[in-house]
Structures are given as C-alpha cells and as structure tokens.
Amino acid sequence: LQHVEMIRNGHHTTGDAGGEVVWSEPGGSVRSPEKRKRVVRLWCDGCYDMVHYGHSNQLRQAKAMGDYLIVGVHTDAEISKHKGPPVFTQEERYKMVRAIKWVDEMVEGAPYVTTLETLDKYNCDFCVHGDDITLTVDGKDTYEEVKREGRYRECKRTQGVSTTDLVGRMLLMTKAHHSNMDNPDYQQHTDNFGKGPKGHSPWTGVSQFLQTSQKIIQFASGKEPQPGDTIIYVAGAFDLFHIGHVDFLEMVYKQAERPYVIVGLHFDQEVNRYKGKNYPIMNIHERTLSVLACRVSGGSVLPYAVGKDLLDHFNVDLVCHGKTEVIPDKDASDPYAEPKKRGIFRTIDSANNLTTDDIVKRIIENRLQFEARNQKKEAKEMAVIEAMKRREQQEQGDDAAQVAL
Ligand code: CTP
Ligand code: C5P
C-alpha cells in the first residue's frame, strides 16, 4: 500500500508563504531556519468515529492551510472516558483516516487534550479544528492551551452531516429520505431524536444540507488518466463508505502497476430497488464525496450500465467486483455481461466481509448508548453557550457602567 497512500515522507517544498522560513523534518524534533523553503506542518485530531465526508471536508480545509497534514486519532479508552464509547474500534478508525487523501501522516492514540507538547513533538506549526467546541469530561475546552498560545486555527464545520444525523437516517424507515431531506417524516424523526431547532446546541444538533457541485469540485482531484495507466472500473452503492470499501478499493488498486480507478455509483432509486427499506442511507451526492475523498479513487461517475458505451468511453482495461453478490439488472440480466465477454472482468477478494447492513445493525444496537452519549455532549455544549452569554452580558453591563461614569 505504500505507494497507494502517497504519504509523503520526504521534504515537501511547495507553499512558500513568505515571512519566517522554516525547514521541517517530518517526525523530527528539530526545526531550524533555512533560506529556500517554508513548510507549514499542520495538526488535526479527533475521534473520527464513523468517518463521513464532514470529517474529510475538515481535513481538506486543514490541508489547504499548509503543506503537510498530520492527523492524530484518539484511542477507544480516551473517547470512552471523555465522550462515551465509540461505535468503531480504534483500528477501524485509524484505517479510515489513513485512507483520506489529504492526510500525509496518521498518529495512533493521540491525547484527547491538544497540548503544545504534542504540536512540538510532531513539529507542527498549529492545529486546525472545526468551528464547534470539543470538551473534556470536566467540560473544559480541549484546545484551551493551543488557543491561548496562538497555535490554533479554525475551519468551517460541514453542515448537515454528523454521526448523530446518520444514525437518525438509519432509524428512519422511509424510502424517500435520500431524495427529500425536508420531508415531514424526517423532520419529525430528527425532532424525536432530540434535535429540534430550539434549545439545542448548534454544534451537535442536526441541520439540513444541500450538496453543491462546488463541494464535488473541491473534493475531486481533477487528475486525468495518463497514457500507460490501466483504467479500472468498479461499480456499486458505496453507501456509508466503510473499511470494507476501503479494503476492496485498495485491492483493486493493486491490480496494476499504474492504476487509475474509476468508481461508478448506482443512483439512489437503483440502490433502493435492490436493497429496499430505507437504503441508501446517504444520497448520491454524499456517496460521491465519500468516494472522492478516498486516496485510491481517481474519479467517480454515475453509471447507467457497465455496457459497451461506458467501457469504450473510458477506455476501461479491467472491471472488478468484490466477493459480494452481483445483483442482476432490472431486466434480470448480468450487469457484467459485456466485460465478461471481453475477458476483462475480475473478482477481487477484499478479505473483509463488512457490509453496510452490518454497520447499520451495529449502530442500531448501540442506539441507546449513542443517544445517552449525545445528550451528555449536548448538555456540556449548552453549559458553555450559557456561560459565554453570561460573560457577554456582564461585559456589556460593565461597558454601560463605564459610559454612565
Ligand atoms: N467535523 C466537521 N464537520 C462535521 C463533523 C466533524 O468539520 N460535520 C470536524 C470537527 O470539527 C473536528 C473533526 O471533524 O475538527 C473531528 O471531529 P470528531 O472528533 O470526530 O468529533 P465530532 O465533531 O463529534 O464529529 P461527529 O459529530 O460527526 O461525531
Ligand atoms: O455493496 P456495495 O455495492 O457498496 O459494494 C461496492 C463494491 O465493494 C462491490 O464490488 C463489493 O463486492 C465490494 N466490497 C468488498 N468487500 C466488502 C464490501 C464491499 O469487496 N466488505
């Protein structure tokens, strides 16, 4: 996987921002001035539980603030202590974060509270976090120290997606939620789930979000296949993009020396046809973002069929499918008939049998625990908001008293 990950351990030379010139040794502790290069090293940390495109978007924004991005992921024990048990194990969470294309390096078991010591240990200029607040078990801001020392930057939290929101969708037994997020069932459900617009924290609460083409452009690499590349095509739902998908795509990537992997996504109606119930959990735009954020995917397209036109249009050399069942097309035909006829079809063993259904089951089984965890999180956030308001009122009162004097 080494070359797949493209985790650059060498010296990164782009991004001359002027000002003080810093030469940075990845992982080293020495930082000494040098004339030519200015490498900005960034630190992000978090739980990254049930990694979604909100997390990827945070890492994308962080990477744009510098050159080399290191992401620290907390252990299960640390998360359990401060927030409540995570749904995914640390090994699973580490793998998901490693697979995100803006991550240059991943640190396992990063401390829950971000300190100057950690930033210095990894030789990072500053850390980047979304504009929500993260609190310890005692209600303290985990970024207090780095904020005080000016080693903290903020990026915009991605609206409309959070683990809470995804859990809400899983519990929502409607076929239409992916195409109509503002339907009454969804609203009612999210309110029942304790996330109405009134009296709730703006960070933990659910918000509605319409995907924009702008975000898709930001996520896409824009890289065209080069002459000599092996064009590999895969198709599927890729719903709730998970480690099974990552293992599969990484195996697909290993099928050629210079692979260019195109991921085809089934439309929402198509996924609903063969999966039923409330699938897909993520709509087509969200699934596109999840796939694009993965470092091994070259691009994603919406396939109508893996037929002659598509194979010729993209000059596809190889079509792969994992060991999961191949679902027949609407007319009961084999969707891979054409690549099989051309002798370019291959079954790939991802060595991972995790499915989207397993994830949904796991989350629903943990639902009560999850709700309790979130209520606790929101109560802590509300206490901080109240304290901020009180401080503001006090300051306004002091100002008014000054004027009166
Ligand atoms: N983040 C974001 N947008 C989201 C969700 C998370 O920008 N929709 C950011 C957070 O601000 C943080 C990073 O992703 O900088 C890691 O977040 P994490 O520690 O995993 O916790 P949560 O914010 O609790 O994520 P979630 O509510 O989805 O569990
Ligand atoms: O099920 P879905 O359509 O999302 O799967 C997309 C692709 O990933 C399929 O080729 C499937 O066989 C593969 N996959 C896999 N191992 C998993 C999950 C999916 O090889 N654990």
Side-chain angles (χ1 to χ4, degrees), residues 157-169 181 186-187 189-191 193-198 200-209 374 378:
R157 190 176 164 89
T158 305
Q159 292 286 295
V161 66
S162 68
T163 313
T164 311
D165 177 50
L166 293 175
V167 175
R169 294 187 209 178
M181 291 293 195
Y186 183 81
Q187 295 287 2
H189 173 81
T190 50
D191 281 354
F193 202 59
K195 303 287 158 271
K198 268 194 165 166
H200 288 288
S201 157
W203 300 308
T204 296
V206 169
S207 55
Q208 309 301 313
F209 176 61
N374 249 36
E378 201 169 8

Side-chain angles (χ1 to χ4, degrees), residues 131-179:
D131 54 0
D132 54 326
I133 193 158
T134 310
L135 304 165
T136 64
V137 64
D138 322 307
K140 284 215 181 88
D141 182 351
T142 55
Y143 294 96
E144 201 177 87
E145 182 176 320
V146 287
K147 278 180 181 170
R148 201 175 46 234
E149 299 299 322
R151 305 265 298 266
Y152 175 86
R153 304 281 184 280
E154 229 159 54
C155 61
K156 258 205 115 24
R157 190 176 164 89
T158 305
Q159 292 286 295
V161 66
S162 68
T163 313
T164 311
D165 177 50
L166 293 175
V167 175
R169 294 187 209 178
M170 285 172 211
L171 301 170
L172 179 69
M173 299 308 281
T174 159
K175 284 187 173 189
H177 68 98
H178 47 76
S179 56

